[in-house]
Amino acid sequence: MEASEVVAPQNIWKPFEGLSPRVSRLREEYFSFEKRDYFRNEVMPFTTGMPWDEVWLPPLWGVVPEIYAFFDAYAEGLKALARPVEMPSGFWRNSLVMRRALFFREVCRRGLPVKILDGELVVGGQFNTALSLCLNRREARRLKRAQKRWRKRADEINSTGMGNAGAVPGHLIPDYPSVLSLGFRGLKERFGRMREEAGDRGHRDFLDALIVCCEAARDLAARYAEEAERLAAREPDRLRSEELAEVARICRKVPWEPAETFHEAIQSLWFAHMLVMAAESYPGPGLSPGRVDQYLYPYYRSDLEKGRLTRENAKEILQCWWIKHNYAYDYQGRVGENQGINSSFGQLITIGGIDAEGNDASNDLTWLILEVIEEMNMLEPKPNVRLHRNTPDDLLRRVAGMIARSQGSPFLLNFDEASMAGLAWQGLPKERLWDYAPVGCLENTLQGDDRSGTVDVNVNLAKAVEMVFGRGRDMATGKRLGPDTGDPRGFATWEDFRSAFETQLKALLDRVLAVSDESDSLRARFQPTPYLSAIVGGCAESGRDITDGGARYNFITVEGIALGTAADSLAAVKKLVYEDKRVGMDELVRALADDFEGHETLRQTLLNRAPKYGNDDDYADEVARWLSRTWTTSFWGRVSPHTRRKYRAGYLSWNYWIAYAPSTAATPDGRKRGTHLSNGIGPVDGADRKGPTAVALSVSKLGLETAPNGDSHTISFTPSLLRDEEHVEKLMAFLRAYGERGGTALQVNVINPDTLRAAQADPQSYRNLMVRVTGYNAYFVMLGKAIQDEIIARESHRL
Amino acid sequence: MRSSPANPTASEAALTGTVFNIQRYSTEDGPGIRTTVFLKGCPMRCPWCHNPEGISPKPELVWYSARCIGARDCLKACPRGALELTPGGMRIYRDACEACGSCEEACPAAALEVIGKKRTPEEVLDEVLRDRVFYEKSGGGVTLSGGEPCLQRDFSRELMMRLKEQGIHVALDTCGSAPRDHFRELAGLADLVLFDLKVMDTELHREYTGIELERVLDNAEWLAQQGKQIWVRTPVIPGHTDSEDNIRAIARFIRERMPGVERYDLLAYNNTCRGKYERLDLEFSLAGEPLLSREEMERLCAAAVEEGLGCARWSGATRLEAAEGEAAGAEEGKGG
């Protein structure tokens, strides 16, 4: 285009000018980390004071390989800074889970600072902890040993680009509706009744620990009530003083008692939510509120009917609550403009979708929340809209219109039919499926009683291709990763090649899943989290902690990386080597070993003469489907030995498609070592040349129900394709067709490369420019240059 | 083909068309999500043509300099010695080249391409039916464009009839200049006709397009009486079609002679086709022409509306003025 398509900074989606002064100020306050020295949600370590204490467990961070090198320094640093919490005598005679509960209660009673910001209607802000594991000397010694072994194996699989694994906290939807309707008092009473009937001492002790945690929530809320009362008493402004008195009243009531009003419900929800982050010592990732427009709606409607609330009041309360989620980022405040990989924590909120009868479930709160999303323009909480066959046109038009205007998608779109088919395939009860919701980036789970370890394991499928050519060895280091499947030059047929690939794929999965087995077991043995167990269905009943497979539904998700790269590689071998005989295996083996140096003609042949996934080309798509079905079902039935959690598959490449590019050798699709792998279920960048309908149809052929976690797929549209109502209507139709024929989830970026380049050159002006990466939103200017370049390259390849 | 003797048996056995592109998720060639099939060959010679590869009815070879890796496989493959790799790039001796495709097949880097492939209606149908679900959800369908689809009458007819049998909405994008019975037959099959009216001055029309205006207007008037869905389109070309008088004249003609027209689109000139001309060794006389401004497009659109054509609108890339920073991002718009 001769005409520049740069969008001026002032036209990037920005907060609504009509935000109330209160909300506007609270929003700005969040963004002013430097000036906000009176209130920062930075990590607060708390220790038992024992010399062997640990306050941080690296296996939880196993999926963040870029910090492996800092594990020890970080753990030691936190210990050095940790505030000792004095525990009563007799503390060490308790079980580990009870120690953790008592310690947590003590931190809630005395450790966590209590601060109410000027103008806040929803309170509770400093929740970023590093809590003592409360281990005794013997347990600590055992942990050290086990952790050392885990660390060595995690390093091996990561450094060779096979993958990674960790027992990641968050990534579930707690049973918040029960907190709202019963209060923690109701839960405590329920646990008390269960205690009467519990068969063994272990179970009774566990229930006692849950009860202690219910009290912890009550006690922290009471401290906020006191603070609000104190502020109300000295507040000169009468209106604010009354507000503070109301906040005090609410905090005296919830989350201990059932919520009755909308404001109470939101405050109760926020306390319950922020305490999960405090209890897990993990600020936010994937801890998701779920279908808020459904379970908050009764409170909203009832308040409106009783005249207690206006729509505008409700919106302001929602907006105050909205800002809260963003404080999960504060720990990054000092790191500055880092790689940006933690740019979004995925406290995923879901709206829309169907009800138990299959009818559209959207309501006025759905629409109100869309207004909040549009007016706030903040990273968190991350919104997801569930679309289905009967999503009303006006709702779809509103969503499509927001996408078209947004310069970076504000949404994840989740498609009910395909998502539910996957959850049915994995064996979840049919009558529960309508109420599913995704967590984190896009990972589908049930609400309230399902922990599916949705980002715990990541495997690089393209590495299995390398292992065939390396005869089981890493081509860079010569390390043995899988069995010797023989010299590829000796494979007479495609079937021989494919069989060697399957062998290597299995070896790869075995290696990576073994590391996951260990991290899962480590967390279960050394970091029980009774507070979270109290609000996830199944734990109290089974007497097992959430970390120990206590939830009613337990899975660990294996996320596939580089499906497109691996599929294109296999398709190229099948077509060019074995069918067309245009490429000799001998030359291919040498070219891959040489990273295509001196083999440019061959590389171009592989790039241009082989079928590519993503073009609705049945040949390539069939290979991709075979690959997808093969790897996703190959470990089905396998469980993590310690917790009995069952492995399931999904596609979420997070940033690994970049991170593992250097450790993955050249591949037969023509990719050199270091070039990015493909992302999610998307095609290799630039390989899809037939536009969004062709990509959607390629995706639809994968048979994604065997990857029930959900499947990351990003499609980019340039603004001109969505420039007016007529074109927005076309996007709506595209989304409806995608839902009928496509994948489980879609993210739409509306952005042009020139604008991105302008933002890269002038980050200050484009502070608000948001893009979606893999499965999370990020402020573009906060991303590392590598990811920025990646996004620009993708956008330059116009659909 | 001009010189080869007709072989009725062969042509009956395999009716083929010369197709130079099949574009999916096409959003600018009719309602909904569409696939546009571009057919080679056009009777007009408009200097602003943005699909110059569609003008000649014959397949043509092009070379993409950015893709070429200098492998020279093409030189060996060419049976006619029609290629020469010079320091300045690939020279294609077009008199010798028969666009047989041997070099394209041999090139590992896809740097050579024969524009215009022989395709049977079945082959084209197979591809365009793939997006059926998108047509159904969007009220879209398939558009035949070019070039001028009426020049490949038999192929176009066959393809349109097959699409109709499948219940697919079919649009015919035509320059309006075709033998009367060809035009009537194909337009008669279409659900929607996208009809170009470029210049209303007889002399200028002949000068720019090489075709008599009368023939176009004849077809337009006949079409208007058929009760079809019609969208008229005018490419707004600086110094050629962009006078207000011209737009007003077209608008008046539509109002008076084509009263059923559903929509009138003013399409702003763009120059992204420059590379295509270079690759075809053709001269693009408008290469240096700046884009139109928003104001000009809006003014022309308003003029059409003033002539009583409320269905007028405009689209396309326009110049981004320095002072227009505020309105950046709205460089594509519509009026009317």
Side-chain angles (χ1 to χ4, degrees):
Chain A
M1 280 284 173
E2 189 79 341
S4 169
E5 290 202 43
V6 177
V7 176
Q10 63 269 31
N11 289 314
I12 297 293
W13 208 34
K14 53 188 179 234
F16 178 55
E17 282 165 8
L19 282 179
S20 73
R22 174 208 312 277
V23 173
S24 191
R25 196 165 37 73
L26 286 169
R27 187 182 179 283
E28 273 310 303
E29 187 173 32
Y30 163 70
F31 280 111
S32 63
F33 178 85
E34 289 304 326
K35 284 185 275 178
R36 192 168 21 85
D37 55 356
Y38 54 89
F39 180 82
R40 286 174 179 164
N41 187 29
E42 292 184 287
V43 63
M44 297 166 285
F46 296 99
T47 173
T48 55
M50 296 300 132
W52 59 80
D53 195 25
E54 295 291 346
V55 300
W56 195 68
L57 192 60
L60 270 53
W61 296 82
V63 299
V64 195
E66 48 274 55
I67 66 165
Y68 281 10
F70 309 109
F71 273 173
D72 297 339
Y74 200 64
E76 290 308 312
L78 283 174
K79 259 194 282 186
L81 290 171
R83 221 175 93 191
V85 177
E86 204 178 317
M87 297 307 295
S89 62
F91 175 72
W92 293 103
R93 283 200 297 274
N94 288 298
S95 66
L96 177 58
V97 69
M98 182 54 93
R99 270 177 266 153
R100 289 271 293 167
L102 292 169
F103 191 87
F104 177 67
R105 189 176 65 186
E106 202 53 27
V107 166
C108 285
R109 283 176 174 174
R110 272 176 269 279
L112 289 178
V114 166
K115 173 97 186 162
I116 294 174
L117 297 176
D118 196 17
E120 279 193 313
L121 296 176
V122 179
V123 300
Q126 277 152 305
F127 50 80
N128 185 4
T129 70
L131 294 185
S132 167
L133 300 185
C134 301
L135 304 178
N136 62 32
R137 188 198 299 262
R138 210 174 43 153
E139 290 159 344
R141 207 179 314 133
R142 258 188 273 143
L143 169 61
K144 235 189 181 74
R145 262 201 313 271
Q147 198 165 284
K148 205 171 156 192
R149 197 172 51 230
W150 172 83
R151 173 70 193 281
K152 183 165 171 287
R153 295 196 184 181
D155 269 338
E156 279 167 5
I157 58 167
N158 176 61
S159 65
T160 51
M162 299 175 89
N164 57 63
V168 185
H171 295 91
L172 82 171
I173 302 168
D175 186 8
Y176 293 137
S178 287
V179 177
L180 302 194
S181 62
L182 301 173
F184 276 104
R185 189 171 82 164
L187 289 174
K188 178 186 166 176
E189 286 165 5
R190 179 193 278 177
F191 300 147
R193 287 192 299 274
M194 290 166 84
R195 199 185 180 289
E196 303 297 305
E197 285 158 25
D200 67 88
R201 216 174 65 189
H203 196 173
R204 281 197 295 277
D205 177 64
F206 179 69
L207 290 164
D208 285 341
L210 303 192
I211 287 169
V212 166
C213 291
C214 291
E215 293 165 358
R218 173 197 64 195
D219 295 347
L220 182 72
R223 292 175 62 209
Y224 275 95
E226 272 166 39
E227 173 67 3
E229 281 155 7
R230 188 182 70 82
L231 292 172
R234 58 174 223 191
E235 172 62 52
D237 182 274
R238 194 177 53 82
L239 280 177
R240 179 59 185 159
S241 179
E242 282 170 11
E243 273 175 14
L244 285 163
E246 173 68 358
V247 167
R249 183 195 68 75
I250 291 172
C251 293
R252 287 265 172 237
K253 181 172 174 183
V254 298
W256 184 243
E257 300 288 347
E260 285 169 281
T261 68
F262 184 69
H263 196 168
E264 288 169 7
I266 293 277
Q267 182 63 64
S268 183
L269 172 58
W270 176 248
F271 273 139
H273 182 76
M274 73 170 239
L275 282 175
V276 178
M277 299 190 249
E280 288 203 297
S281 298
Y282 209 62
L287 177 67
S288 299
R291 302 182 76 188
V292 290
D293 66 337
Q294 303 302 307
Y295 65 79
L296 290 173
Y297 184 64
Y299 302 94
Y300 172 74
R301 192 185 50 198
S302 146
D303 276 12
L304 286 188
E305 280 168 5
K306 296 196 170 90
R308 284 199 291 237
L309 185 80
T310 66
R311 203 168 181 277
E312 279 308 298
N313 298 149
K315 189 198 274 187
E316 200 175 34
I317 292 168
L318 284 170
Q319 287 173 330
C320 286
W321 171 60
W322 217 254
I323 294 168
K324 289 281 173 198
H325 298 83
N326 291 275
Y327 278 96
Y329 291 86
D330 254 18
Y331 86 85
Q332 293 186 336
R334 286 179 205 282
V335 190
E337 298 186 3
N338 64 357
Q339 275 299 304
I341 46 111
N342 290 329
S343 287
S344 177
F345 287 117
Q347 298 163 78
L348 196 59
I349 270 172
T350 294
I351 57 175
I354 56 172
D355 64 16
E357 281 75 48
N359 301 313
D360 179 67
S362 64
N363 55 46
D364 187 44
L365 197 51
T366 317
W367 286 80
L368 188 61
I369 288 172
L370 286 170
E371 284 173 38
V372 171
I373 293 164
E374 186 165 56
E375 293 181 10
M376 296 303 283
N377 186 29
M378 294 185 92
L379 279 178
E380 297 276 306
K382 208 166 63 171
N384 163 52
V385 181
R386 269 179 54 176
L387 300 178
H388 58 95
R389 194 168 291 121
N390 298 318
T391 296
D393 261 337
D394 56 350
L395 182 61
L396 185 58
R397 186 171 294 109
R398 173 84 168 105
V399 169
M402 285 173 74
I403 290 171
R405 278 197 312 280
S406 69
Q407 291 294 311
S409 168
F411 298 116
L412 167 71
L413 302 171
N414 215 269
F415 297 91
D416 284 354
E417 289 81 6
S419 295
M420 288 164 62
L423 296 174
W425 183 89
Q426 80 175 53
L428 292 173
K430 290 241 172 359
E431 68 279 7
R432 292 279 309 275
L433 301 182
W434 65 274
D435 207 24
Y436 83 98
V439 302
C441 294
L442 48 79
E443 307 97 77
N444 291 329
T445 66
L446 294 180
Q447 298 190 95
D449 55 2
D450 175 346
R451 174 165 250 177
S452 289
T454 63
V455 293
D456 284 8
V457 192
N458 300 284
V459 293
N460 177 2
L461 302 170
K463 192 72 188 181
V465 178
E466 176 185 338
M467 285 158 64
V468 175
F469 286 92
R471 301 179 59 166
R473 291 184 185 278
D474 179 53
M475 283 171 73
T477 63
K479 278 185 195 150
R480 177 146 301 285
L481 311 177
D484 183 356
T485 39
D487 188 334
R489 285 169 286 211
F491 300 155
T493 64
W494 157 244
E495 285 68 30
D496 292 345
F497 185 92
R498 195 178 65 183
S499 150
F501 173 78
E502 277 184 87
T503 304
Q504 298 296 352
L505 185 64
K506 188 173 178 311
L508 173 78
L509 284 161
D510 281 346
R511 273 297 274 280
V512 180
L513 265 56
V515 179
S516 168
D517 289 345
E518 278 189 52
S519 39
D520 185 45
S521 148
L522 271 165
R523 180 174 62 181
R525 285 154 60 209
F526 299 105
Q527 199 191 43
T529 314
Y531 170 76
L532 181 56
S533 302
I535 54 174
V536 174
C539 297
E541 293 84 343
S542 65
R544 299 181 75 165
D545 191 79
I546 179 74
T547 57
D548 194 22
R552 194 162 292 122
Y553 301 103
N554 281 287
F555 294 88
I556 298 178
T557 308
V558 185
E559 304 282 8
I561 309 161
L563 172 76
T565 304
D568 283 358
S569 297
L570 296 175
V573 170
K574 183 179 183 199
K575 184 81 167 59
L576 297 181
V577 177
Y578 290 104
E579 282 180 23
D580 295 356
K581 301 189 167 42
R582 183 168 180 150
V583 169
M585 182 59 92
D586 188 48
E587 195 194 354
L588 181 59
V589 167
R590 272 186 288 121
L592 296 180
D594 297 345
D595 197 24
F596 290 116
E597 281 310 312
H599 303 276
E600 187 59 16
T601 302
L602 171 65
R603 194 175 86 87
Q604 291 294 333
T605 305
L606 296 168
L607 283 173
N608 294 296
R609 297 295 169 189
K612 305 288 181 191
Y613 165 70
N615 293 292
D616 190 19
D617 172 326
D618 291 338
Y619 190 99
D621 295 346
E622 183 51 42
V623 173
R625 179 188 167 89
W626 173 84
L627 172 59
S628 183
R629 305 284 296 198
T630 299
W631 86 265
T632 54
T633 54
S634 68
F635 54 84
W636 183 243
R638 174 172 170 153
V639 295
S640 173
H642 188 88
T643 63
R644 311 305 297 165
R645 298 166 76 201
K646 191 171 177 178
Y647 285 100
R648 68 164 188 173
Y651 288 104
L652 177 75
S653 303
W654 207 35
N655 67 335
Y656 309 123
W657 91 101
I658 297 174
Y660 288 140
S663 44
T664 308
T667 38
D669 61 337
R671 173 194 150 279
K672 290 181 169 188
R673 182 188 290 276
T675 302
H676 298 161
L677 304 164
S678 63
N679 181 4
I681 50 166
V684 170
D685 280 337
D688 54 320
R689 291 167 186 171
K690 293 202 167 169
T693 58
V695 175
L697 292 173
S698 282
V699 164
S700 77
K701 292 180 226 170
L702 293 173
L704 285 170
E705 65 276 15
T706 62
N709 169 76
D711 316 288
S712 167
H713 187 198
T714 304
I715 282 189
S716 304
F717 286 87
T718 54
S720 61
L721 271 179
L722 299 170
R723 63 182 177 270
D724 54 21
E725 242 171 82
E726 182 190 347
H727 287 78
V728 169
E729 292 277 338
K730 295 186 193 209
L731 173 63
M732 287 167 61
F734 177 79
L735 295 175
R736 287 213 185 273
Y738 191 94
E740 195 169 305
R741 292 289 305 279
T744 59
L746 186 66
Q747 300 150 50
V748 182
N749 267 344
V750 181
I751 198 71
N752 65 56
D754 290 341
T755 305
L756 294 174
R757 281 189 204 100
Q760 208 174 23
D762 180 14
Q764 199 49 41
S765 308
Y766 286 87
R767 201 179 70 163
N768 281 328
L769 174 61
M770 211 191 270
V771 291
R772 199 171 254 287
V773 190
T774 303
Y776 56 90
N777 283 344
Y779 291 113
F780 180 76
V781 300
M782 293 289 283
L783 296 170
K785 185 156 186 307
I787 299 182
Q788 284 185 351
D789 287 344
E790 165 72 25
I791 294 171
I792 290 173
R794 194 173 63 208
E795 303 308 332
S796 302
H797 165 65
R798 290 176 147 218
L799 288 170
Chain B
M1 296 292 97
R2 194 174 32 179
S3 55
S4 55
N7 181 342
T9 332
S11 71
E12 267 169 36
L15 171 65
T16 58
T18 308
V19 176
F20 70 90
N21 193 12
I22 295 180
Q23 165 104 44
R24 293 165 77 168
Y25 201 77
S26 173
T27 54
E28 314 303 314
D29 294 313
I33 295 172
R34 312 190 71 80
T35 298
T36 302
V37 180
F38 291 90
L39 294 161
K40 224 163 161 340
C42 184
M44 291 193 177
R45 292 293 178 271
C46 314
W48 57 78
C49 182
H50 69 276
N51 281 337
E53 74 276 36
I55 297 173
S56 163
K58 292 193 297 184
E60 290 166 283
L61 182 67
V62 298
W63 174 75
Y64 300 92
S65 59
R67 292 188 197 159
C68 182
I69 57 167
R72 299 176 160 273
D73 293 335
C74 53
L75 307 182
K76 283 171 256 165
C78 180
R80 310 263 306 175
L83 295 174
E84 184 187 355
L85 190 56
T86 72
M90 184 71 69
R91 183 170 298 164
I92 301 168
Y93 295 99
R94 296 198 179 273
D95 292 341
C97 175
E98 287 186 321
C100 67
S102 304
C103 57
E104 178 178 13
E105 176 55 29
C107 177
L112 287 151
E113 183 189 0
V114 172
I115 306 253
K117 299 277 187 340
K118 294 283 180 198
R119 310 278 294 265
T120 65
E122 290 76 18
E123 286 167 348
V124 175
L125 206 63
D126 274 353
E127 179 150 1
V128 301
L129 287 178
R130 287 177 166 265
D131 276 353
R132 177 174 216 140
V133 64
F134 296 96
Y135 311 151
E136 285 167 2
K137 298 286 170 195
S138 67
V142 173
T143 300
L144 271 66
S145 183
E148 170 51 56
C150 295
L151 291 198
Q152 298 193 40
R153 175 197 196 174
D154 294 343
F155 177 81
S156 294
R157 181 184 54 223
E158 184 66 17
L159 182 58
M160 290 171 89
M161 283 169 55
R162 296 286 196 89
L163 286 165
K164 302 285 290 174
E165 279 166 21
Q166 294 283 332
I168 304 286
H169 179 277
V170 181
L172 178 73
D173 178 17
T174 174
C175 70
S177 165
R180 178 183 289 182
D181 53 336
H182 290 206
F183 177 82
R184 290 186 177 185
E185 183 180 35
L186 296 183
L189 282 169
D191 298 294
L192 162 70
V193 178
L194 305 169
F195 196 97
D196 266 23
L197 287 175
K198 298 173 169 95
V199 182
M200 290 308 267
D201 181 286
T202 316
E203 290 295 314
L204 289 177
H205 195 275
R206 188 185 308 123
E207 183 191 327
Y208 295 156
T209 69
I211 295 288
E212 292 300 326
L213 176 63
E214 198 189 334
R215 184 168 177 174
V216 175
L217 298 186
D218 263 4
N219 281 333
E221 288 188 70
W222 174 85
L223 177 65
Q225 290 156 21
Q226 307 309 309
K228 294 248 163 224
Q229 192 185 11
I230 306 168
W231 294 5
V232 176
R233 316 207 286 184
T234 299
V236 182
I237 311 300
H240 292 77
T241 68
D242 67 338
S243 76
E244 193 173 316
D245 285 349
N246 185 44
I247 301 301
R248 283 183 185 273
I250 294 174
R252 274 196 303 276
F253 178 84
I254 296 171
R255 198 193 64 218
E256 289 162 10
R257 306 298 188 82
M258 306 179 78
V261 163
E262 187 178 283
R263 174 167 160 166
Y264 176 48
D265 283 296
L266 291 162
L267 310 175
Y269 152 85
N270 77 66
N271 53 16
T272 51
C273 56
R274 279 171 306 184
K276 294 184 184 180
Y277 279 88
E278 283 165 24
R279 286 193 290 273
L280 291 160
D281 300 319
L282 296 174
E283 196 201 337
F284 184 34
S285 59
L286 280 80
E289 209 60 52
L291 298 184
L292 290 150
S293 70
R294 282 180 72 81
E295 286 73 26
E296 285 169 285
M297 290 306 294
E298 269 159 17
R299 181 173 53 82
L300 294 176
C301 191
V305 173
E306 223 175 86
E307 292 294 338
L309 215 53
C311 61
R313 58 171 81 193
W314 72 273
S315 63
T318 54
R319 218 152 57 210
L320 189 69
E321 310 289 355
E324 238 185 313
E326 283 288 330
E331 75 281 356
E332 306 233 17
K334 63 168 183 176

